[in-house]
Amino acid sequence: MNLTESHAPMYRERLVLFVEVRSLLKGIRVLRVGIAAAVICSALLSVAVSLPARAQAPQYHAPVVAPNDTLNDVKYDYRWELYGGVAYSHFDAGPQLLQGANLGGFNVQASRFLTHRWAAMADVRGYYGTSGAQPNPYGIIGPFVSEHMFLVGPQYRGPSNQHVSMTLHALFGGAYGDFQRALYDQNNHPVPPLAVGFFSNQLTWGSAIGGSIDLNRSPRLSFRISPDATLVNFGGYQVKEQFALSVGLVYRLGKIGAPHKPKKR
């Protein structure tokens, strides 16, 4: 038996011992990793428990809007109503013109209430623009015309509540028509108004029959829409019916006594 064979059992014992030691070290490493993992999991669990529950997504809640009490004091007990606005009128500048004039201008009114329903009203309005003319040899096309009206009459307050009020009026007075201001030929010579189918400048009677719708913005202030049928008699030919409309603001002031409470809707 040689030396190698005599030492073989010893080598085998050492190899087995080495494998066992290696396996023990590997088991120790696995145990350390497991302990570390357990410690980390425990720490994360503690943090998760200590944190508040995740907040729910915020839900939309409609804002609470306080009721508008601004119009609660609307009582229609004011002595005066003052109105100013822009105005429109479809106007005939001559007795036989086929093309009317669409004029723009202003409208001013003042009403003095004698009771909660009845008032005396004064109205001033002016309309300005150009009008079609009859074919003519003077080269006049679309000359400038204007109309002013000065009217007075009764006004009646109809159905009304806190938000809206309706009034009616019948106004009478005078109307002045300016038809000749732009009637000049190419040589700057005046042209007779009848040559282009116009009335001559004149003052005549006029009236406006209509009413208004007031949309209250506060107890004193409202927005007014006022349509009218206007009647004039320029030239003495016949009564001309025209349509007029104005929109603007009303301001109320003064008191006429015990309040008249409007109906609530």
Side-chain angles (χ1 to χ4, degrees):
M1 183 176 61
N2 58 27
L3 182 60
T4 303
E5 293 176 352
S6 63
H7 287 80
M10 181 182 64
Y11 289 145
R12 285 195 296 271
E13 292 177 359
R14 290 182 179 180
L15 180 60
V16 170
L17 178 62
F18 174 77
V19 172
E20 291 178 353
V21 171
R22 186 177 180 183
S23 298
L24 179 61
L25 291 177
K26 185 181 294 185
I28 292 173
R29 285 198 297 270
V30 171
L31 180 61
R32 290 175 60 185
V33 172
I35 294 173
V39 171
I40 293 173
C41 291
S42 178
L44 292 176
L45 181 60
S46 299
V47 172
V49 171
S50 63
L51 291 175
R54 186 179 63 178
Q56 296 181 352
Q59 296 182 353
Y60 174 77
H61 296 283
V64 178
V65 180
N68 185 2
D69 297 331
T70 305
L71 302 181
N72 286 346
D73 294 330
V74 176
K75 299 181 176 63
Y76 302 112
D77 59 347
Y78 296 101
R79 186 175 298 277
W80 291 94
E81 282 189 348
L82 305 178
Y83 167 76
V86 295
Y88 161 84
S89 176
H90 183 78
F91 180 74
D92 292 324
Q96 303 297 331
L97 288 179
L98 299 179
Q99 183 179 0
N102 294 312
L103 309 182
F106 71 92
N107 187 197
V108 176
Q109 300 170 354
S111 299
R112 202 244 189 224
F113 278 85
L114 308 175
T115 69
H116 295 97
R117 294 288 187 183
W118 289 97
M121 182 177 184
D123 181 294
V124 177
R125 57 185 70 189
Y127 305 110
Y128 314 90
T130 58
S131 173
Q134 288 182 352
N136 60 86
Y138 308 105
I140 297 176
I141 301 174
F144 175 84
V145 296
S146 66
E147 179 189 32
H148 292 86
M149 303 184 76
F150 312 91
L151 310 169
V152 295
Q155 179 182 10
Y156 176 76
R157 187 180 302 283
S160 303
N161 59 32
Q162 292 174 316
H163 302 280
V164 63
S165 176
M166 186 177 72
T167 61
L168 303 173
H169 57 247
L171 308 176
F172 306 91
Y176 180 77
D178 184 353
F179 309 103
Q180 299 176 226
R181 180 178 302 186
L183 299 186
Y184 293 89
D185 62 13
Q186 296 90 335
N187 298 318
N188 204 30
H189 295 146
V191 174
L194 288 179
V196 295
F198 277 14
F199 297 118
S200 59
N201 292 353
Q202 60 187 283
L203 177 68
T204 186
W205 71 270
S207 66
I209 311 297
S212 64
I213 298 174
D214 295 344
L215 306 176
N216 294 321
R217 310 309 304 160
S218 74
R220 291 185 179 273
L221 187 67
S222 65
F223 177 76
R224 173 169 290 181
I225 305 171
S226 182
D228 280 311
T230 57
L231 307 174
V232 293
N233 189 25
F234 290 117
Y237 291 92
Q238 61 182 0
V239 175
K240 284 284 187 179
E241 301 176 1
Q242 303 166 172
F243 172 76
L245 177 71
S246 70
V247 294
L249 296 177
V250 176
Y251 184 75
R252 306 181 178 110
L253 66 160
K255 296 285 184 179
I256 59 175
H260 168 67
K261 294 183 179 181
K263 297 179 181 179
K264 292 185 179 181
R265 287 202 298 182

